[in-house]
Amino acid sequence: MADSHPKSIDPRPKRRRDKDNPYTIFTTGINTATPHYYLSFVDSNNMERCVEIDKPLFDAFDRFELEDISFMHKVDKHYERTEQTEASLNKRAVKPQESVEEIVSQRIEVDRLHQAIAQLPEKQRRRLVLYYFGEFTYEQIADMEGCKHPAVMKSISSALKKLKKYLSGEVTI
C-alpha cells in the first residue's frame, strides 16, 4: 500500500463524481509498456490512501464510475426544478383537467352516438361495431360473415355517412 500520491497521472479528463463516491481511480505511465493503476480514498482516520490495483479491478471501478455518471445525468434530466403546486401540476398535465360542463357535453355526445348506432340496420351496426370497437380488419369481418371484404368496406362506409348526417342533425336514420 503506497501512502503517497503518484505524480504523473494519466491524461483522462476529470470526471464528475457522486457525493457518496469515496474513491478516485487513475493511472500512471499510461503511454509506457508497464502502466500502473491506482485507487485513492480517504480512510476512517481521515488520511488519504493510495493503493495500486490490477487492470481488471481498475476496469471494474471505471465501469462503475461511468454507470454512476450515467445515472446522475438521468436524475438531473428528470429532476423537478420548478415550484410544485396543484395549480402548476394541473397546468402541465398531459390531459388538462376538464370542467363539469365539458364532461357533461362529451357524455351527451357519446349517448347520441350510441343512439345513432343503435338505429343503424343490423348488418351495418354489427360490422361497424366489429371494426371500430372490436378492432377487427375488413378481411377478418368478411371471413366471419362469409362475404368479400369490399362488401364490408361499403357497409361500414355507408354506416358512417348515415351517422354523420344523424349527428349533424340533417336526418334521422
Side-chain angles (χ1 to χ4, degrees):
M1 186 188 264
D3 286 346
S4 64
H5 201 284
K7 301 297 179 206
S8 57
I9 298 176
D10 71 318
R12 291 183 322 137
K14 186 173 180 172
R15 291 183 178 159
R16 173 180 171 206
R17 287 182 38 198
D18 184 20
K19 65 180 177 13
D20 296 324
N21 182 351
Y23 66 88
T24 303
I25 57 172
F26 57 91
T27 62
T28 59
I30 194 72
N31 296 326
T32 66
T34 57
H36 296 278
Y37 304 96
Y38 295 95
L39 175 71
S40 172
F41 61 95
V42 176
D43 68 9
S44 61
N45 295 328
N46 221 12
M47 300 225 4
E48 186 173 337
R49 302 290 179 175
C50 187
V51 181
E52 186 170 357
I53 58 176
D54 63 355
K55 174 82 167 117
L57 186 57
F58 177 85
D59 290 340
F61 274 103
D62 190 48
R63 219 175 17 261
F64 174 76
E65 271 189 359
L66 291 173
E67 289 170 1
D68 202 30
I69 290 168
S70 176
F71 177 75
M72 287 188 297
H73 287 311
K74 286 177 186 173
V75 167
D76 287 348
K77 184 177 181 181
H78 298 289
Y79 186 71
E80 183 64 53
R81 290 185 173 84
T82 60
E83 178 185 8
Q84 292 184 1
T85 63
E86 189 173 339
S88 67
L89 292 175
N90 281 337
K91 185 183 288 186
R92 293 180 310 156
V94 174
K95 185 177 180 184
Q97 190 174 6
E98 297 174 330
S99 68
V100 175
E101 293 82 12
E102 290 171 329
I103 294 170
V104 170
S105 175
Q106 287 174 359
R107 186 64 204 165
I108 290 170
E109 288 298 315
V110 169
D111 288 343
R112 286 188 66 217
L113 176 62
H114 285 285
Q115 288 172 356
I117 291 172
Q119 293 179 18
L120 288 171
E122 193 271 328
K123 189 183 288 189
Q124 287 181 352
R125 179 176 59 246
R126 183 179 61 244
R127 290 176 178 177
L128 183 85
V129 168
L130 285 172
Y131 185 73
Y132 284 103
F133 300 107
E135 297 181 0
F136 289 96
T137 64
Y138 294 131
E139 290 79 12
Q140 291 171 326
I141 298 169
D143 288 343
M144 283 186 251
E145 296 192 355
C147 65
K148 304 277 185 200
H149 81 275
V152 174
M153 288 174 54
K154 185 176 179 182
S155 179
I156 292 173
S157 176
S158 177
L160 289 174
K161 287 177 186 173
K162 288 180 181 178
L163 290 175
K164 200 179 269 188
K165 285 182 181 179
Y166 177 81
L167 293 174
S168 68
E170 291 178 28
V171 71
T172 58
I173 296 177

